[in-house]
Every structure is written in structure tokens, then in C-alpha cells.
Amino acid sequence: MTELEQEIREFITTKVKKRLERFGLTDEAINDEFSLTESGVFDSIEFVELMTDVEHQFNVSVNFENYDPGEFTTLGGFSRCAAQG
Amino acid sequence: MNTDQTHPLSKAVIEGFLQAAASYPDRPALDVEDQRYTYRQLALKAAGLAGAIGEQPFQHDLVAFLANRSITAYAAIAGILMAGKGYVPLNPKFPKERSTNMYRQSGCKMLIVGRECLPYLPEFLEALDQPVTLLLPEVEDPDDLPAIPGQYTLIIAGDLTTPEKLPATPEVDPRSTAYLLFTSGSTGAPKGIPVPHDNLRSFVAYICRRYDFTPDDRFSQAYDLTFDPSVWDMFVCWQSGACLCVVPPASVMAPAKFIKDKELTVWSSAPSVPIFTAKLKLLKPGAFPDLRYSFFCAEPLPVSITRQWQLAAPNSIIENLYGLTETTIVNTHYRWDPENSESKNNIVPIGQVFYNHRYCIVNEDMKPVEPGISGELCLSGPQITRGYWKDPEKTREQYIAIPGQGERIWFKTGDVVQEDDAGCLYFLGRVDQQVKIRGFRVELQEIEWVLRQATRSDAVMAVPWPVKEGIADGIVAYISGVPGDRESEILTYCQEKLPDYMVPKRIFFLEELPLNVNGKYDRKLLTQQLEEGI
């Protein structure tokens, strides 16, 4: 894992934890396979906002074109795609 | 089976599928979870389930299934119809309380469960707390099952008999229920809408006459099976002898790669899907050259996204469709013309009513409006269902006679439309508090009912937000008389009662909710404040 990928992963994890707290849930299930969308933590519009936030924060251009949504909607997959640009 | 003798029996709606299975037994009927099933394979699997259903000592008109985007889901639908019954889909994404409410309301005695839903089964049965016959076609050994509470009779894979040849189409009362779906209800419980075989047959026949689908087509199946446009995908596809390609859960809101990989020729979804795809920068010019048809329904279709989709699918005809579950899926169509199409509020028209239906636009006094004046759309014709499930009062409110329009029954859609000189209809909004969230039909009163239960406060209000080009992305809630530190508890309660798209994204705690001049809570003002970022 590159340094950038690790930073993006931490950035997203913080956001996930905050959202889980709002619903009174624990963060035990947060691993690389954690689905950001199917878990209900991010709905579709919030997922787009997450992408934009990551682009602004890390000055990257996220390109999901060659990735399967089953991959880029997970914590690990999103971080990897975003870091690779 | 419904045995009302006043209606001669006719072939069940599954006839189209079985005819395709006889004509094209080795062609693909279903592509799901990266496996392909031919018409013969799917028909025989379904026939095995139909046999088990028919052997039950206590027969009921309806059979439920709990399965999601799997072979069991589609075999269950075909099998239930082959048994001469109607199907009731349950959704594992819904809270268990909602699903058990739907099952209880339906009166079903049997539940078919897909392998993917087995982890959900114990909590469902615990909440259901009534005897049930479980049909588990993918379970070989009962010891593989999780601990299941309650009283149940078990039918597993080894108990099923797969016939050697395709079954004949059963004959049913044409007015009996082909499927029972539930939508958001304003009184806090889901509202059932039974759709008869003759309605669905009329719909499928109309659609297959209008479009030139062939066995070479590859249809998308993006909608959840609890949402009625899914019925469009399945029965129109199978009537055409084509292949139904089931979009995996993770790809539903971003299907670009799936459309390309599966070489789809027919796409159907709510407009939210291309909107989200575009936001992810995945809607690129020329991306979908194989698409011949693209159909959008379930919410307003913005002109901007239609133009983008046309660039991505340059060889596709794009149609905007409109209808309701009560009127059997779709009743109008509008063919998009990039050069000449007109719009109102940047929303694509809903177009012409099916030629075998009548429409009437009425004012608040239920009198037809003058040409060009907006009013509520009422529909009448062979696809209009006969009422809500076990709710005669609600049925009387919505299925009405219009003075001066003869004795025919009209369905009051609740949708405000305007007609132009050419008979083209434009959708302008709703007469009530029903909204669409990502294509799903939502009664704001149902959310408010749950909020009142959660807070024990009557001062609650649900507001669709944000709304862009007529499409709402979510809900925010306003509550007064309740301390703000209860947000987590209230949201958790909402999650237990409501599907995810109805759970508020944010809760604002106010000292008092604002009132309008009529002394009612002022939803407009709250929406305006959201727009202004207050």
C-alpha cells in the first residue's frame, strides 16, 4: 500500500466512523472489504461527495472507469482506485 | 386459486416464458451472478418449485419469496406463476418489521428463500412468529441451516422433483393476482397493490407490439423485485425470447462496466442511475454502442441527463415512460428526439397515453379541465387494477367515477400534468405529499408517522432534500419538543422501521416548527430555508 493510499484510507475511515456514531453503531466491521454503499453508511449522493472530497483533499483525479463497482465501493478498493488516479 | 366462476379461465401470464422455452430451449433466458441459464434450465428449475407448491395440503392464492438477484429469485417467480399462484416478493434490504408486515398482510403460508437470504431468515421468522412452510431449493442438508426459531415445515433441494419435460401453462382466473407489491403507505404500514394476470398480459402485449425486441436482445434487470418496473424487464424480455441480465447489487447505481461487459441492448432504470453514473464520471460519449433501447421511468427525467445518455448510447432510442403500480407499471411513453423534443422545467415529457387507455385531466372539483390547463391525471383502461389489498376505503378514494364520463372506473394518479396541442403530457408535480426518492415512491406521512413513534412528539416534519431538476435524493427531518442529543436513537429507530431510502439523512431540532397562514406546519418555508442554506 502506497503512502497516498494509506492516507486516503484513513481519511475515509474517519468519515465512516463519524457516520456510524450517528446511527449508534460500532466500527468493528471496518476493514478493506467494508462496503461504503451497501452498508448504508453512504447513499449515492454522499458517495459522490466522498469522491469529490478525496479529490480536493489529496489533489487527485479519481477514475473508476476500469474498475468494477463491487471493488471501488469498498473502503480498500476506493482508496486504491483513488490513489492510482 | 381464485375460482370465481363468472370469469372463464385463461392462460396464466407465464405463457410467454413457456412458449419461449419451447421455441428456444437452449438460448439464454437468465444471466445472474455470472452464470447463464437457458430457457430449458430455468423452466425446469421453476417447474420443480411449482410441483412442490402444488403438493401443499393447504393451498393459498399467493406464495412469497425472500431472494435477491439470484437464480432462486427468478425461478421462484416463474415457478409460483406456473403453479397458478401469484407471487409476493420480499426484500432482504428492508427492515424485518416491514417484511413481516408485508408477509402477514398477504396471508401467504409458504415462503421460498434464496441461499443469499438465509442469514436474514432467523430474525425474519422470529419477528413473524407464525407457522410457515419454508421452501429452500438451494439447501441440500438441513444441518447447513442457521438455527431457525418458530414453527415451520421444511422443503429442501432433495425434496424437489425436476420434471423431464416442460410443463403446460396453467389456466387461471384472469382477474386473479399475478403479483402483489407493497408501496409506501401514509398510515405507517406498507400498502398492498394486487395486479391481476389480465392486466399484466395487456401490458406485455402492448409493449411487445410497440418495440421490435428479438431473441438476440439482452435486457438489463436493474430494479429490485419489490419495485414494479422489474416486472417490465422480466416479462417483456421472456416474451421476446431474449436474455435477462441481472445487475449485481454493487453495480446498480453505477452500471457502466456491466452494460459494456454484458453487451446489453436494452437498458431500463430510474433516471437516478444515469445521474449517479455521470457524477462518477462514468457516462462517457460512445460508452454503450450496443444499446438499441434505453427506457427511463419512476421519476422525472431531466433533459440534461437525457442528452448525456444519448451521447453515451448513440445507437439507442430513448423513451421516457410513466405509470404507477396501480395502473400496471407503465401507461405513457415519450420518444426522445435530440433535435426537436420540447420540455417544461427541463424535464422530458411523459408523452402519449397507451392507445388502449383513456385519460382525463381534472380539477379539484373532479371536472375535466379546459385544454392546456394543468390538473390531476386520471387513467382508465385494461391495465387499471381493481383496488388496494384489503383496503376498500382507500380503494374508494382512488378508484372513482368521473361525472359525465360514463360508468367506467378511473384511477386518480395524484400526478399533476398539462397537455399540449398534440396530446403530449407533461408531468408538473404531485397533488399530495408523495415524493420519489431515487425512483422509490415515498409517502412523507409514513416517515412522519415513524418519527412520531420514535419521539412521542407530534411536531415532526419530513422534507425531501436535496431536490435537483425534480428529483429528490433523500429526506431531512424537523422535530420540535425533543432534545437534540436523541438524534442517534431516533435514526436507529427509523432504520429499524423504514427502508434506507426513507431514513432521514439529517435531523434538525427546532424549538417550534414554523406554521403557514392556515396554521399548518410550513413545509414550503423549511424547503426554502434548506435552499438558502439557513
Side-chain angles (χ1 to χ4, degrees):
Chain A
M1 192 183 292
T2 64
E3 194 176 327
L4 177 60
E5 187 180 331
Q6 181 63 34
E7 285 177 18
I8 293 173
R9 194 185 181 289
E10 284 167 15
F11 178 78
I12 299 171
T13 303
T14 307
K15 283 182 177 283
V16 170
K17 282 182 178 172
K18 276 186 187 162
R19 282 164 184 273
L20 287 176
E21 278 169 18
R22 285 183 60 220
F23 286 103
L25 301 172
T26 60
D27 55 10
E28 288 165 6
I30 304 177
N31 55 29
D32 270 5
E33 280 70 49
F34 182 79
S35 172
L36 302 168
T37 51
E38 282 180 55
S39 61
V41 171
F42 292 89
D43 66 20
S44 51
I45 195 163
E46 290 163 342
F47 187 78
V48 172
E49 286 167 1
L50 177 69
M51 182 181 87
T52 312
D53 286 351
V54 168
E55 287 185 325
H56 287 160
Q57 181 75 22
F58 297 96
N59 196 24
V60 294
S61 177
V62 178
N63 182 1
F64 293 134
E65 194 173 1
N66 296 317
Y67 296 93
D68 193 284
E71 182 181 2
F72 71 67
T73 52
T74 62
L75 173 61
F78 188 107
S79 308
R80 205 160 38 249
C81 296
Q84 287 171 4
Chain B
M1 191 182 301
N2 189 332
T3 54
D4 182 348
Q5 292 304 309
T6 58
H7 302 102
L9 299 182
S10 68
K11 299 283 189 189
V13 72
I14 199 65
E15 183 182 29
F17 171 77
L18 287 169
Q19 281 178 343
S23 301
Y24 319 108
D26 298 319
R27 290 191 69 91
L30 182 67
D31 185 327
V32 62
E33 296 176 307
D34 274 332
Q35 281 211 35
R36 274 192 186 185
Y37 298 86
T38 64
Y39 271 91
R40 182 177 169 77
Q41 287 170 327
L42 180 57
L44 293 181
K45 268 186 188 295
L49 298 180
I53 293 167
E55 285 168 6
Q56 291 306 297
F58 302 106
Q59 291 291 314
H60 187 264
D61 292 347
L62 302 173
V63 176
F65 70 86
L66 180 58
N68 186 38
R69 297 179 190 271
S70 65
I71 176 61
T72 292
Y74 299 91
I77 289 170
I80 291 167
L81 292 169
M82 281 183 200
K85 312 291 185 190
Y87 73 86
V88 184
L90 301 178
N91 193 332
K93 291 190 287 185
F94 286 178
K96 61 178 185 290
E97 204 166 300
R98 192 176 190 82
S99 294
T100 50
N101 183 303
M102 288 157 61
Y103 185 87
R104 278 198 205 98
Q105 281 199 53
S106 74
C108 286
K109 307 290 180 207
M110 179 182 244
L111 179 67
I112 302 174
V113 185
R115 151 193 48 74
E116 71 286 357
C117 291
L118 289 176
Y120 181 82
L121 190 57
E123 63 177 67
F124 173 84
L125 291 177
E126 190 174 8
L128 184 66
D129 194 25
Q130 69 181 53
V132 57
T133 298
L134 294 173
L135 205 173
L136 313 176
E138 294 168 275
V139 172
E140 302 284 348
D141 184 345
D143 291 340
D144 295 341
L145 285 171
I148 304 176
Q151 304 168 51
Y152 57 88
T153 307
L154 208 54
I155 303 171
I156 60 173
D159 302 323
L160 301 176
T161 308
T162 304
E164 289 181 5
K165 60 178 189 176
L166 297 174
T169 304
E171 294 204 320
V172 296
D173 178 338
R175 295 173 67 131
S176 65
T177 300
Y179 58 90
L180 172 65
L181 297 184
F182 289 85
T183 67
S184 173
S186 54
T187 55
K191 184 170 63 183
I193 303 163
V195 178
H197 281 263
D198 56 355
N199 289 47
L200 182 53
R201 286 182 72 103
S202 173
F203 166 76
V204 173
Y206 185 98
I207 294 293
C208 288
R209 269 197 303 273
R210 178 170 167 79
Y211 308 102
D212 62 342
F213 301 131
T214 77
D216 289 328
D217 275 314
R218 297 175 58 72
F219 281 64
S220 67
Q221 212 277 278
Y223 296 102
D224 278 356
L225 296 170
T226 38
F227 193 13
D228 72 331
S230 65
V231 182
W232 192 142
D233 298 333
M234 285 183 284
F235 290 94
V236 172
C237 173
W238 290 337
Q239 184 86 16
S240 309
C243 182
L244 187 71
C245 300
V246 183
V247 185
S251 298
V252 168
M253 288 306 283
K257 192 167 185 295
F258 183 85
I259 294 172
K260 281 186 276 190
D261 290 352
K262 297 291 180 185
E263 299 175 329
L264 297 189
T265 60
V266 181
W267 175 259
S268 176
S269 76
S272 295
V273 175
I275 290 170
F276 184 61
T277 306
K279 284 177 177 167
L280 290 176
K281 301 183 278 187
L282 293 172
L283 196 56
K284 306 229 162 131
F288 315 134
D290 296 323
L291 282 183
R292 300 200 305 125
Y293 286 103
S294 304
F295 299 103
F296 297 103
C297 71
E299 59 189 346
L301 177 61
V303 168
S304 56
I305 201 66
T306 312
R307 291 193 190 285
Q308 267 185 276
W309 187 272
Q310 185 73 84
L311 289 174
N315 304 314
S316 176
I317 287 169
I318 298 178
E319 290 215 345
N320 187 27
L321 308 175
Y322 161 89
L324 300 97
T325 309
E326 291 92 330
T327 57
T328 315
I329 311 165
V330 164
N331 312 90
T332 78
H333 39 62
Y334 179 83
R335 186 156 297 190
W336 170 253
D337 176 345
E339 306 298 326
N340 300 308
S341 281
E342 293 187 6
S343 66
K344 282 190 194 301
N345 306 325
N346 288 318
I347 300 296
V348 176
I350 58 173
Q352 313 275 349
V353 173
F354 285 11
Y355 66 76
N356 58 354
H357 281 66
R358 292 191 187 190
Y359 65 102
C360 189
I361 304 169
V362 298
N363 62 20
E364 287 176 353
D365 299 324
M366 291 309 296
K367 290 187 177 147
V369 298
E370 296 295 321
I373 303 297
S374 64
E376 182 176 356
L377 177 66
C378 296
L379 291 167
S380 183
Q383 287 174 218
I384 309 305
T385 55
R386 296 179 181 87
Y388 292 104
W389 184 249
K390 298 178 179 175
D391 193 344
E393 190 180 334
K394 185 74 183 163
T395 299
R396 277 194 296 275
E397 284 173 18
Q398 296 299 127
Y399 296 75
I400 53 145
I402 298 178
Q405 299 294 314
E407 293 182 358
R408 58 176 50 241
I409 298 294
W410 298 83
F411 180 73
K412 272 164 62 83
T413 64
D415 290 319
V416 179
V417 301
Q418 191 174 16
E419 183 181 10
D420 69 11
D421 294 342
C424 178
L425 300 177
Y426 294 77
F427 173 82
L428 301 180
R430 290 285 301 173
V431 298
D432 54 19
Q433 292 174 17
Q434 188 188 105
V435 296
K436 292 288 184 80
I437 306 290
R438 288 178 266 149
F440 295 102
R441 184 167 146 178
V442 171
E443 301 279 358
L444 294 176
Q445 297 105 309
E446 182 174 2
I447 301 170
E448 288 167 358
W449 189 88
V450 172
L451 287 169
R452 279 194 289 273
Q453 297 289 311
T455 59
R456 300 286 165 200
S457 165
D458 282 334
V460 302
M461 181 146 287
V463 177
W465 184 260
V467 182
K468 281 184 188 158
E469 297 184 288
I471 296 180
D473 270 315
I475 296 285
V476 296
Y478 288 87
I479 296 171
S480 84
V482 174
D485 61 5
R486 287 185 60 195
E487 184 185 30
S488 165
E489 171 208 335
I490 295 166
L491 287 174
T492 302
Y493 186 85
C494 289
Q495 278 194 316
E496 287 168 3
K497 304 284 178 187
L498 297 168
D500 63 341
Y501 55 87
M502 291 172 74
V503 175
K505 293 168 145 203
R506 268 194 82 177
I507 297 179
F508 293 98
F509 294 88
L510 306 181
E511 281 189 17
E512 282 184 12
L513 296 186
L515 302 177
N516 63 20
V517 288
N518 299 319
K520 295 183 175 174
Y521 294 138
D522 196 339
R523 199 184 305 273
K524 262 188 188 168
L525 178 65
L526 293 172
T527 306
Q528 197 181 326
Q529 288 178 349
L530 282 165
E531 282 166 2
E532 292 166 1
I534 297 172

mmCIF file of all heavy atoms in Angstrom, chain B residues 50 71 109 137 161 219 252:
data_model
loop_
_atom_site.group_PDB
_atom_site.id
_atom_site.type_symbol
_atom_site.label_atom_id
_atom_site.label_comp_id
_atom_site.label_asym_id
_atom_site.label_seq_id
_atom_site.Cartn_x
_atom_site.Cartn_y
_atom_site.Cartn_z
ATOM 1 N N ALA B 50 -42.761 -25.292 -8.772
ATOM 2 C CA ALA B 50 -44.221 -25.310 -8.981
ATOM 3 C C ALA B 50 -44.810 -26.625 -8.479
ATOM 4 O O ALA B 50 -45.884 -26.638 -7.852
ATOM 5 C CB ALA B 50 -44.534 -25.111 -10.460
ATOM 6 N N ILE B 71 -30.537 -16.900 -8.746
ATOM 7 C CA ILE B 71 -31.303 -17.850 -9.544
ATOM 8 C C ILE B 71 -32.616 -18.193 -8.842
ATOM 9 O O ILE B 71 -33.678 -18.318 -9.487
ATOM 10 C CB ILE B 71 -30.461 -19.129 -9.847
ATOM 11 C CG1 ILE B 71 -31.307 -20.166 -10.590
ATOM 12 C CG2 ILE B 71 -29.848 -19.728 -8.618
ATOM 13 C CD1 ILE B 71 -31.837 -19.736 -11.924
ATOM 14 N N LYS B 109 -48.827 -18.629 3.107
ATOM 15 C CA LYS B 109 -48.491 -19.714 4.031
ATOM 16 C C LYS B 109 -47.115 -20.294 3.711
ATOM 17 O O LYS B 109 -46.581 -21.090 4.466
ATOM 18 C CB LYS B 109 -49.508 -20.863 3.912
ATOM 19 C CG LYS B 109 -50.957 -20.427 4.046
ATOM 20 C CD LYS B 109 -51.273 -20.004 5.459
ATOM 21 C CE LYS B 109 -52.738 -19.573 5.567
ATOM 22 N NZ LYS B 109 -52.919 -18.600 6.640
ATOM 23 N N PRO B 137 -34.711 -24.187 -2.017
ATOM 24 C CA PRO B 137 -34.271 -25.035 -3.132
ATOM 25 C C PRO B 137 -32.764 -25.206 -3.247
ATOM 26 O O PRO B 137 -32.300 -26.102 -3.947
ATOM 27 C CB PRO B 137 -34.837 -24.314 -4.356
ATOM 28 C CG PRO B 137 -35.075 -22.918 -3.921
ATOM 29 C CD PRO B 137 -35.354 -22.952 -2.467
ATOM 30 N N THR B 161 -38.755 -32.435 -7.144
ATOM 31 C CA THR B 161 -38.673 -33.312 -8.311
ATOM 32 C C THR B 161 -38.593 -32.438 -9.556
ATOM 33 O O THR B 161 -39.482 -31.619 -9.797
ATOM 34 C CB THR B 161 -39.936 -34.195 -8.415
ATOM 35 O OG1 THR B 161 -40.126 -34.830 -7.165
ATOM 36 C CG2 THR B 161 -39.796 -35.220 -9.519
ATOM 37 N N PHE B 219 -31.497 -7.870 -22.123
ATOM 38 C CA PHE B 219 -32.179 -6.875 -21.297
ATOM 39 C C PHE B 219 -31.470 -6.697 -19.948
ATOM 40 O O PHE B 219 -31.023 -7.678 -19.344
ATOM 41 C CB PHE B 219 -33.609 -7.337 -20.975
ATOM 42 C CG PHE B 219 -34.616 -7.150 -22.075
ATOM 43 C CD1 PHE B 219 -34.501 -7.834 -23.272
ATOM 44 C CD2 PHE B 219 -35.708 -6.322 -21.893
ATOM 45 C CE1 PHE B 219 -35.447 -7.687 -24.276
ATOM 46 C CE2 PHE B 219 -36.660 -6.170 -22.881
ATOM 47 C CZ PHE B 219 -36.539 -6.848 -24.076
ATOM 48 N N VAL B 252 -25.680 -1.558 -9.371
ATOM 49 C CA VAL B 252 -26.991 -0.996 -9.715
ATOM 50 C C VAL B 252 -26.922 0.517 -9.931
ATOM 51 O O VAL B 252 -27.522 1.040 -10.867
ATOM 52 C CB VAL B 252 -28.032 -1.341 -8.612
ATOM 53 C CG1 VAL B 252 -29.300 -0.528 -8.802
ATOM 54 C CG2 VAL B 252 -28.368 -2.826 -8.666
#
